[in-house]
Amino acid sequence: MSQVIILFGPPGAGKGTQAELLSDKLNLYYLETSKIIEANVMNAKEGEYAEVDGKKYYFLDEKKLWQKGILCSPPFVSFLVKQKIEELAKEGKGIVMAGSPRTLPEGKDQIPLLKELYGPENIKIILIELSPEQTIWRNSHRRICELMRHPILFTEETKDLTRCPLDGSKLVKREGLDDPETIKVRLKEYKERTLPLVEYFEQEGLKVKRVEGDQSVVDVHKDILENIK
Ligand SMILES: [Zn+2]
């Protein structure tokens, strides 16, 4: 049976980078919530809707929110994510998730479905730990590439890079998102809204393995592989 790997950790812990590596190495589908939203709203058709708990969410309304940079309705996002999970399970594909589920309600919504489709023994949860000081330092230095928005972690090996190692495009800072004040807000959000997931996963009988995030990308990758055996 295919497996599901869920990576989580504070902003800047390198979840996205590690998810890409695991996706390549283990042939897993990297399930990115933002890409799923984008794919669905870009192709939104007049009158198309998702019904969740008796309420209708119109794709075109959600597209308007998305285009303004406003978060789409959580039930709508959840609907799309679960639809994708079901599709992948049907195809027998393994999944790696990073940064989702991000809150307790999302976890409670997605975990039962994942357990049912993949079996609890095939769900591996990795918490990439990073101290608050490291989180702030890394985030205030982090860059993404202009072309594909590949995240480039700020480490000893990458600090002098000016171009994306994958596609050669210029590395830029993320406007607004990586200001120290914004990072503090995100860190607080992480502590208050994401970390409670640890307890929930454990209640659900899923083990949470901890990996030290303050090391090179390759060493974090090795530790993750060791912990999902
Ligand atoms: Zn790139």
Side-chain angles (χ1 to χ4, degrees), residues 5 9 23 46 52 69 98 106 142 168 170 187:
I5 302 175
S23 163
E46 185 73 48
V52 185
E106 276 174 61
R142 92 139 132 215
K170 234 178 34 194
L187 201 52

Side-chain angles (χ1 to χ4, degrees), residues 145 148 150 164 166-167 169:
C145 85
M148 299 296 291
H150 290 125
C164 176
L166 296 173
D167 52 52
S169 71

Side-chain angles (χ1 to χ4, degrees), residues 23-172:
S23 163
D24 285 350
K25 173 104 180 166
L26 305 172
N27 193 23
L28 304 171
Y29 182 89
Y30 178 15
L31 194 153
E32 286 178 276
T33 306
S34 59
K35 290 211 171 138
I36 292 173
I37 296 172
E38 185 172 347
N40 279 278
V41 300
M42 284 307 283
N43 298 313
K45 288 178 201 77
E46 185 73 48
E48 192 184 2
Y49 63 85
E51 191 165 334
V52 185
D53 296 329
K55 196 169 181 293
K56 287 179 182 170
Y57 297 88
Y58 285 89
F59 279 55
L60 281 180
D61 293 341
E62 298 293 332
K63 183 179 183 177
K64 278 179 204 145
L65 295 177
W66 180 77
Q67 282 172 329
K68 283 185 209 152
I70 301 170
L71 291 179
C72 292
S73 313
F76 175 76
V77 174
S78 204
F79 172 88
L80 297 181
V81 170
K82 287 197 288 186
Q83 195 179 47
K84 188 71 193 176
I85 290 171
E86 281 173 3
E87 186 189 311
L88 292 167
K90 214 176 274 172
E91 293 167 4
K93 283 193 186 143
I95 303 177
V96 56
M97 298 166 87
S100 165
R102 179 172 295 202
T103 62
L104 204 47
E106 276 174 61
K108 287 182 174 172
D109 200 47
Q110 294 167 15
I111 293 297
L113 179 69
L114 288 169
K115 280 170 84 174
E116 181 196 322
L117 296 173
Y118 288 86
E121 68 284 6
N122 294 311
I123 302 177
K124 308 285 163 63
I125 301 175
I126 303 285
L127 171 56
I128 307 177
E129 294 187 301
L130 202 62
S131 71
E133 296 74 29
Q134 271 289 328
T135 301
I136 292 168
W137 188 79
R138 274 198 185 186
N139 281 276
S140 50
H141 288 83
R142 92 139 132 215
R143 295 167 300 169
I144 55 167
C145 85
E146 231 171 20
L147 185 66
M148 299 296 291
R149 308 184 70 76
H150 290 125
I152 308 293
L153 279 184
F154 192 77
T155 62
E156 274 305 310
E157 300 95 73
T158 63
K159 67 178 176 15
D160 297 324
L161 278 181
T162 55
R163 302 228 159 230
C164 176
L166 296 173
D167 52 52
S169 71
K170 234 178 34 194
L171 299 183
V172 294

